[in-house]
Amino acid sequence: MLVLVRKSVPLRLLSRRPLNPFFLPPRSCPRRLPLLPRAAMGSVPGDGARLAYPPARRDDSVVDNYHGVQIPDPYRWLEDPDSEETKEFVARQAELAEEVLAGCPDRENLRREVTRLFDHPRYGAPFRRGNKYFYFHNSGLQAQSVLYMQDDLDGTAEVLLDPNTLSKDGTVALSTYSISEDGNYIAYGLSESGSDWVSIHVMNVTNKQPMPDKLSWVKFSSISWTHDGKGFFYSRYPAPREGGELDAGTETNINLNHQIYYHVLGSNQSEDVLCWKDPEHPKYSFGASVTEDGKYIILGIYEGCDPVNKLYYCEISSLPQGIEGFRERKEMLPFVKLIDNFDAQYQVVANDGDEFTFLTNKSAPKNKLVRVNIKNPEQWTDVLPEHENDVLESADAINNNQLLVCYMSDVKHILQIRDLRTGNFIHQLPLEIGSVSEISCRREDKEVFISFTSFLSPGIIYRCNLAPTIPEMKVFREVSVPGFDRTSFQAKQVFVPSKDGTKIPMFVMSKKDINLDGSHPTLLYGYGGFNISLTPSFSVGRVVLCKNMGFVVCVANIRGGGEYGEEWHKAGALAMKQNCFDDFAACAEFLISNGYTSSKRLCIEGGSNGGLLIAASINQRPDLFGCALAHVGVMDMLRFHKFTIGHAWTTDYGCSDKEEEFQWLIKYSPLHNVRRPWEQSSGNHCQYPATMLLTADHDDRVVPLHSLKLLATLQHVLCTGAEDSPQTNPIIGRIDRKSGHGAGRPTQKLIDEAADRYSFMAKMLGAVWTE
């Protein structure tokens, strides 16, 4: 889902967009790339001896009938996170993983160096509310970033909200927030242990005193204040379980019946005004926002994760007793249906009274801007037509009558100033090759703050003055990382032909002037789904790999993402999902054939939908990789829709309840396609690469059962259930505690996980540490 009304909302990178409940030679040529001899296929076999894997009970009586096809599910019992048997399985797997990791020689070297480079000040772009400025800051190793405020940009900053004081281990995180229009109050959402569940609290900004307000069971919600400062809109689900204690985030109950409420400041949640629900469509989700002029409430309705939505509006002045009057009437707000189908996305950019400007992909897969009078919606006009090649990622009204538009051109961002009324080009802002990670602006302001990052730039915040005829761009803050000299590294983009000839962009980062002799340990990262683009960003962990272990680090922009618009997304979704795996394999083969690495020195990594990518890739091409790191992946493609918010992903994957879509899913579902490669090939030396599946006990986005069931299956099929198995490469699971899908993870947990997964990878690939 996408936020409909943007007010200083950052452009989100990777899989973390607002309100998105999900959450990485061509065969058409005359010849295939040559493979290594059979004896060298697979990957370097760790210590050459098989691990002693803990036993896991198989229940062969569990068999499901999918449209006449019998599908066994012997580890169904792992779907119950509260059973003692599941807890014992998790404990034994954690012991095994720690045993393997303890034998990785560079674990402490990585932990020490990642910690050293992580210890640098980081800032968010400042934004204004009322007569104050606000910004986030982390001094370096703080578990969570702190929200500061100041009277002006040169004034003394004081702490407004420090999440680090809310828990000893840093696992309480600030997940969402909104400051009232007058700057007097902040409503903020806290999540615990990485769960998607949020509790909303309120603080008086002037005296920093907490208000008694507490709102529970909030999930996939923004917070939007009415301009009178009396209250705000938010979204919630019914409590997942009635009675008894619940460790929120560990349950797997399906999330149904999302609702929009209005909370009046100082009141009890039980008195909140129910503004919208749709019990006839329990899987729909909703977001409500107040327009920048404060006159309208915009309701977005979503049926999944596709960039499409219905859009309704309600004029606040048309409510004679205000929003609070609906508390007693037991009626929902009288929203007017402007868009009542799921044909396209509509995102509010600006409005002048009844005249609205929207960003939409209606008949424009790379997006465009349109304008309509919502009281007379018959006539829609194009303001900024779709670009032939570049994707229009965002548009913000600034300087009263101008637009700041962000295009993505071959996975790199471009910023332009345009006229709001006509869409005409005015200026292009100077940027290096990289990503715009945050834009902070308001229509009334003559300045905008822009955060920029790239593979070799830790972060720059620009302050752009729009008052002069030619905008003035100055560096407001620049992040400096100790021990990192960008002149020692290089980052370039290549285009790789996939199986069907489609050119796939891939970024390649390494030390300068490396010899392409096939010797370099290499990490290939991918995602490929949900219209999410992997744009250049700075990573301390990846810098350490390049600097101290000679790695080449690559990011593949495979189909399924949003790098080239909705057509690129759809080319890697539903019946076309196999394109994602083919694209990724083509990028791996390119790295081998062009002398960067070899199969035994190549590791692949991805998270969430990217975890699915990694698991499907090792099933389909175990010969191609030396190591695999699959984070919080969707592994059971036949049952994912039955847990928490999984039903929202059917827009990208399909659903096994439908026969045609079952046939798509069964062909690549990681859980259902584990095979013994030595039985599939003429030789007997091919095995699965060394594999680490990573999950967390409070991941209520992609629940841990996905990784646990696949872990048990891999270990049984490849190791414990096979006589004379050649599978000596380890198959382990790293199961974190008091963590979720990834958002809000404290700094120390980020460092510890990087040390664990990369030391495992380094040992499996034979990489050597150098100071």
Side-chain angles (χ1 to χ4, degrees):
M1 290 187 288
L2 298 174
V3 170
L4 291 171
V5 181
R6 300 179 71 249
K7 293 184 181 179
S8 304
V9 177
L11 295 171
R12 308 302 291 205
L13 296 179
L14 308 181
S15 59
R16 297 188 176 99
R17 293 188 302 181
L19 300 180
N20 190 335
F22 189 88
F23 277 178
L24 18 138
R27 294 180 190 174
S28 57
C29 290
R31 63 179 180 86
R32 263 184 73 101
L33 293 169
L35 294 173
L36 293 172
R38 284 289 178 188
M41 293 178 71
S43 56
V44 60
D47 294 324
R50 284 192 295 275
L51 291 175
Y53 292 98
R57 177 176 63 89
R58 289 177 59 84
D59 184 351
D60 294 321
S61 69
V62 181
V63 180
D64 294 318
N65 185 320
Y66 290 91
H67 315 288
V69 181
Q70 301 296 308
I71 304 293
D73 193 3
Y75 299 111
R76 177 74 58 84
W77 55 270
L78 283 168
E79 293 182 0
D80 181 2
D82 298 321
S83 77
E84 291 303 317
E85 192 174 18
T86 299
K87 292 176 182 178
E88 176 65 16
F89 176 85
V90 168
R92 297 288 299 277
Q93 293 293 341
E95 290 173 3
L96 176 65
E98 181 54 36
E99 176 188 329
V100 172
L101 290 169
C104 295
D106 292 314
R107 189 185 192 187
E108 295 312 313
N109 285 333
L110 278 159
R111 194 191 318 275
R112 183 191 68 249
E113 190 63 9
V114 170
T115 300
R116 188 175 75 86
L117 266 66
F118 227 111
D119 193 6
H120 64 273
R122 300 181 292 282
Y123 294 87
F127 59 96
R128 188 172 61 82
R129 287 293 180 275
N131 58 0
K132 291 185 181 294
Y133 284 91
F134 302 84
Y135 67 92
F136 284 93
H137 170 56
N138 191 306
S139 61
L141 297 177
Q142 288 177 288
Q144 304 288 341
S145 294
V146 178
L147 179 60
Y148 288 81
M149 65 178 179
Q150 55 191 156
D151 292 333
D152 57 70
L153 292 171
D154 299 318
T156 302
E158 53 183 308
V159 173
L160 175 60
L161 182 59
D162 183 359
N164 300 295
T165 65
L166 303 177
S167 62
K168 292 182 179 180
D169 58 5
T171 56
V172 173
L174 179 64
S175 63
T176 186
Y177 68 95
S178 180
I179 298 173
S180 61
E181 192 69 15
D182 57 13
N184 288 336
Y185 295 96
I186 177 173
Y188 58 96
L190 300 178
S191 66
E192 298 185 22
S193 301
S195 170
D196 279 333
W197 289 116
V198 170
S199 60
I200 294 180
H201 305 258
V202 181
M203 178 191 292
N204 184 309
V205 171
T206 304
N207 60 23
K208 303 182 188 176
Q209 291 301 304
M211 305 285 287
D213 310 61
K214 182 182 178 182
L215 313 181
S216 301
W217 304 117
V218 178
K219 186 182 274 197
F220 307 129
S221 176
S222 57
I223 301 172
S224 188
W225 290 83
T226 48
H227 281 211
D228 58 11
K230 289 183 177 180
F232 53 83
F233 296 95
Y234 70 98
S235 311
R236 62 161 291 181
Y237 287 99
R241 190 184 304 166
E242 294 297 334
E245 291 295 319
L246 175 65
D247 186 3
T250 62
E251 80 290 341
T252 62
N253 311 51
I254 190 170
N255 297 145
L256 298 173
N257 297 305
H258 211 219
Q259 299 170 340
I260 295 288
Y261 281 89
Y262 181 75
H263 175 73
V264 177
L265 198 61
S267 65
N268 190 282
Q269 186 176 14
S270 63
E271 301 173 1
D272 288 355
V273 179
L274 176 62
C275 300
W276 191 260
K277 64 178 180 178
D278 188 351
E280 293 185 4
H281 300 96
K283 294 182 180 179
Y284 283 5
S285 51
F286 312 106
S289 298
V290 178
T291 52
E292 195 162 358
D293 63 3
K295 295 180 179 180
Y296 287 95
I297 308 159
I298 303 296
L299 174 66
I301 302 175
Y302 311 85
E303 62 173 350
C305 291
D306 262 1
V308 298
N309 61 275
K310 296 183 180 183
L311 190 141
Y312 302 168
Y313 68 87
C314 177
E315 192 169 5
I316 296 176
S317 64
S318 70
L319 310 176
Q321 295 178 296
I323 300 168
E324 296 173 68
F326 285 82
R327 179 188 293 140
E328 303 303 326
R329 293 168 61 178
K330 305 296 183 183
E331 297 176 8
M332 295 189 295
L333 298 190
F335 282 100
V336 178
K337 299 177 180 180
L338 179 65
I339 304 293
D340 198 28
N341 57 58
F342 291 114
D343 288 348
Q345 165 188 289
Y346 293 87
Q347 178 180 346
V348 174
V349 173
N351 72 294
D352 289 293
D354 300 337
E355 192 173 68
F356 276 68
T357 302
F358 293 100
L359 185 150
T360 184
N361 55 12
K362 175 72 171 178
S363 303
K366 294 183 178 67
N367 300 333
K368 64 181 179 180
L369 298 184
V370 297
R371 184 168 293 133
V372 67
N373 187 310
I374 60 173
K375 301 292 181 66
N376 298 288
E378 295 79 17
Q379 186 68 34
W380 293 70
T381 58
D382 285 0
V383 178
L384 181 57
E386 179 187 26
H387 194 279
E388 181 180 359
N389 302 310
D390 300 341
V391 180
L392 178 59
E393 279 222 330
S394 69
D396 291 278
I398 55 173
N399 198 20
N400 294 314
N401 58 2
Q402 293 180 337
L403 286 169
L404 176 60
V405 300
C406 181
Y407 281 103
M408 181 162 51
S409 177
D410 281 331
V411 207
K412 301 172 289 286
H413 282 144
I414 294 171
L415 286 179
Q416 297 176 350
I417 306 295
R418 288 180 174 267
D419 184 87
L420 173 59
R421 172 56 47 184
T422 65
N424 290 341
F425 175 86
I426 300 175
H427 295 288
Q428 181 157 316
L429 300 182
L431 281 181
E432 293 183 49
I433 293 174
S435 305
V436 174
S437 56
E438 190 177 3
I439 294 174
S440 172
C441 62
R442 291 167 71 83
R443 183 171 179 177
E444 65 201 51
D445 292 342
K446 294 185 180 299
E447 68 177 3
V448 57
F449 294 91
I450 300 159
S451 294
F452 171 87
T453 185
S454 71
F455 293 111
L456 302 181
S457 174
I460 301 172
I461 300 174
Y462 293 101
R463 184 179 184 180
C464 182
N465 181 6
L466 301 169
T469 304
I470 299 177
E472 296 176 349
M473 282 268 285
K474 295 182 179 179
V475 174
F476 179 69
R477 286 193 175 109
E478 184 167 6
V479 174
S480 176
V481 177
F484 171 66
D485 177 9
R486 65 176 294 170
T487 64
S488 300
F489 302 89
Q490 60 185 11
K492 63 179 181 179
Q493 187 180 42
V494 297
F495 291 85
V496 179
S498 189
K499 178 181 178 179
D500 61 2
T502 301
K503 295 294 181 67
I504 308 301
M506 179 169 64
F507 290 104
V508 181
M509 173 185 168
S510 68
K511 286 184 177 178
K512 278 188 176 176
D513 304 321
I514 60 172
N515 293 320
L516 299 182
D517 56 6
S519 67
H520 305 285
T522 298
L523 176 62
L524 173 61
Y525 187 91
Y527 187 80
F530 295 90
N531 196 42
I532 290 171
S533 306
L534 298 186
T535 57
S537 62
F538 187 81
S539 163
V540 164
R542 293 173 184 173
V543 166
V544 171
L545 291 177
C546 293
K547 181 172 71 76
N548 295 97
M549 305 196 87
F551 267 79
V552 176
V553 176
C554 309
V555 176
N557 298 107
I558 62 178
R559 282 173 286 186
E563 286 86 349
Y564 292 99
E566 187 59 6
E567 291 174 346
W568 189 259
H569 168 219
K570 289 303 185 186
L574 301 173
M576 308 300 289
K577 189 65 179 175
Q578 183 59 39
N579 282 338
C580 302
F581 315 132
D582 291 341
D583 292 353
F584 202 57
C587 289
E589 290 181 321
F590 174 92
L591 292 168
I592 294 168
S593 66
N594 282 271
Y596 287 96
T597 191
S598 60
S599 62
K600 67 181 181 180
R601 306 210 81 192
L602 175 60
C603 178
I604 53 174
E605 183 177 23
S608 197
N609 173 75
L612 157 65
L613 168 69
I614 300 309
S617 294
I618 62 175
N619 280 342
Q620 295 185 11
R621 292 295 307 274
D623 59 288
L624 194 54
F625 316 110
C627 186
L629 306 173
H631 302 243
V632 295
V634 187
M635 307 306 193
D636 186 344
M637 301 307 298
L638 303 186
R639 289 176 58 80
F640 70 85
H641 59 289
K642 297 178 180 293
F643 309 105
T644 62
I645 197 61
H647 59 80
W649 315 332
T650 58
T651 52
D652 236 58
Y653 296 143
C655 180
S656 62
D657 292 343
K658 300 177 181 179
E659 184 172 4
E660 179 186 11
E661 297 174 9
F662 163 75
Q663 294 297 337
W664 307 338
L665 294 163
I666 193 62
K667 288 182 174 63
Y668 70 83
S669 175
L671 183 65
H672 302 94
N673 286 279
V674 178
R675 306 283 187 269
R676 294 169 182 161
W678 57 89
E679 295 178 355
Q680 313 295 315
S681 62
S682 57
N684 61 358
H685 295 287
C686 182
Q687 58 172 311
Y688 267 56
T691 299
M692 176 187 284
L693 305 183
L694 298 93
T695 187
D697 63 351
H698 283 73
D699 187 352
D700 48 359
R701 188 83 58 89
V702 181
V703 288
L705 65 89
H706 284 277
S707 293
L708 299 183
K709 289 170 69 174
L710 180 60
L711 185 60
T713 301
L714 286 167
Q715 291 178 351
H716 172 77
V717 173
L718 302 176
C719 306
T720 60
E723 292 185 10
D724 301 319
S725 167
Q727 182 69 38
T728 55
N729 293 331
I731 309 290
I732 64 172
R734 186 186 190 275
I735 306 164
D736 204 4
R737 306 297 177 91
K738 297 190 73 175
S739 284
H741 198 61
R745 187 168 295 178
T747 297
Q748 191 58 54
K749 279 188 174 291
L750 294 173
I751 292 170
D752 290 343
E753 186 191 272
D756 285 356
R757 73 182 194 268
Y758 288 153
S759 63
F760 175 79
M761 172 184 69
K763 180 179 180 180
M764 296 304 123
L765 301 186
V768 178
W769 182 270
T770 58
E771 294 293 345

